[in-house]
Amino acid sequence: MGGKLNLGINIDHVATLRQARGTIYPEPLEAARLCAVAGADSITIHLREDRRHIQDADVYTLSKKCPLPINLEMANVGEIVEIALEVKPAEVCLVPEKRRELTTEGGLDVIGNFQTLEKTVQRLKDNGSIVSLFVEPDKKALEACAQTGAQVIELHTGSFCDATDPEKAEALLKKLIAGAECAHGLGLQVNAGHGIHLGNLPDILTIPHLDTLNIGHSIIARAVFQGLENAVSEMLTAINQA
């Protein structure tokens, strides 16, 4: 990997808990502050089209008051692109989005949507945000990512993390390793995220050239039992020990 491996915390599911009852708590900003105290490097929020967890108001509040850099995940949709241009997050990660999915199910079709993605990438870059594309570890897709002008790719680790068959898992991990090598060779920063938890972390850390791991669900789930600061610290300790 070389250098420090950064940890970004996705706090979407703090907002999920709030939205379940339509209350004003728990507050994502407070979660971001606790993550900062625990040593996290950045905060990820996903402003979905259906606003199922993070709301527009959260984006504006966090953009002004969050103690850590914000990584705004979003689909390449006009109204949300405009919000990103207004709040100017440190990083924008463009992701695919389906209304009925429980969570993001795979990587962007960068080749099939190249022209629209290229335009959005340029607008966001010109506005001062680093742009990341959430993709599968496919050579042609990664080459297309570089051609859009994006500076970063986030490898979709979900298929590997969810695999129950050891042989399939091994094959998927090899693809992630090859994808990271390819992306690095193209001059792209390599991040990774989706489905990462303490159990599969050692395998994830065999992926070369990683700059940032973006982890949400498993940390928020641990926080239910032991508190958010402890859950973030636990993950950081595991990363540093590995």
Side-chain angles (χ1 to χ4, degrees):
M1 289 180 289
K4 177 183 180 291
L5 177 59
N6 297 305
L7 176 62
I9 308 297
N10 185 316
I11 58 172
D12 288 349
H13 294 308
V14 173
T16 298
L17 185 58
R18 178 192 64 195
Q19 297 305 116
R21 290 291 296 270
T23 59
I24 61 171
Y25 61 86
E27 172 56 57
L29 175 59
E30 182 60 22
R33 287 170 172 162
L34 290 170
C35 290
V37 170
D41 299 287
S42 60
I43 294 295
T44 292
I45 52 174
H46 184 172
L47 184 63
R48 296 183 67 103
E49 286 186 83
D50 61 12
R51 307 305 200 270
R52 67 175 64 170
H53 37 57
I54 294 295
Q55 305 297 302
D56 295 32
D58 296 320
V59 177
Y60 288 108
T61 297
L62 286 161
S63 70
K64 294 175 182 177
K65 299 181 179 180
C66 184
L68 295 173
I70 294 174
N71 171 35
L72 177 61
E73 290 186 343
M74 51 178 263
N76 187 20
V77 174
E79 63 162 329
I80 300 181
V81 172
E82 293 303 318
I83 292 173
L85 291 170
E86 184 179 351
V87 302
K88 298 183 180 181
E91 184 171 333
V92 174
C93 184
L94 295 171
V95 302
E97 194 172 299
K98 300 175 186 176
R99 287 295 178 93
R100 295 186 178 183
E101 66 187 2
L102 291 176
T103 184
T104 306
E105 294 176 346
L108 281 167
D109 179 5
V110 182
I111 297 171
N113 298 288
F114 182 84
Q115 289 185 332
T116 57
L117 283 170
E118 183 183 34
K119 180 180 178 181
T120 299
V121 167
Q122 193 59 55
R123 291 183 72 197
L124 292 166
K125 283 177 62 180
D126 288 347
N127 198 51
S129 294
I130 295 169
V131 183
S132 173
L133 301 179
F134 186 77
V135 291
E136 301 294 336
D138 174 80
K139 184 175 184 290
K140 290 183 179 180
L142 293 168
E143 289 173 344
C145 287
Q147 291 165 8
T148 66
Q151 304 104 311
V152 183
I153 57 98
E154 180 167 335
L155 291 173
H156 174 228
T157 54
S159 298
F160 163 72
C161 292
D162 294 339
T164 56
D165 177 74
E167 290 187 6
K168 181 179 180 181
E170 183 179 359
L172 289 168
L173 183 58
K174 287 180 178 179
K175 287 183 179 180
L176 287 166
I177 291 169
E181 294 282 12
C182 176
H184 180 72
L186 291 165
L188 296 163
Q189 177 180 305
V190 181
N191 297 347
H194 208 83
I196 301 172
H197 54 71
L198 291 169
N200 57 38
L201 180 66
D203 286 328
I204 292 294
L205 294 180
T206 65
I207 300 171
H209 310 300
L210 289 175
D211 181 274
T212 302
L213 295 181
N214 289 312
I215 306 175
H217 184 262
S218 69
I219 288 177
I220 301 303
R222 295 284 289 176
V224 171
F225 299 104
Q226 60 188 41
L228 186 54
E229 283 187 62
N230 289 334
V232 173
S233 296
E234 180 182 54
M235 183 61 73
L236 284 166
T237 299
I239 289 171
N240 292 331
Q241 289 178 343

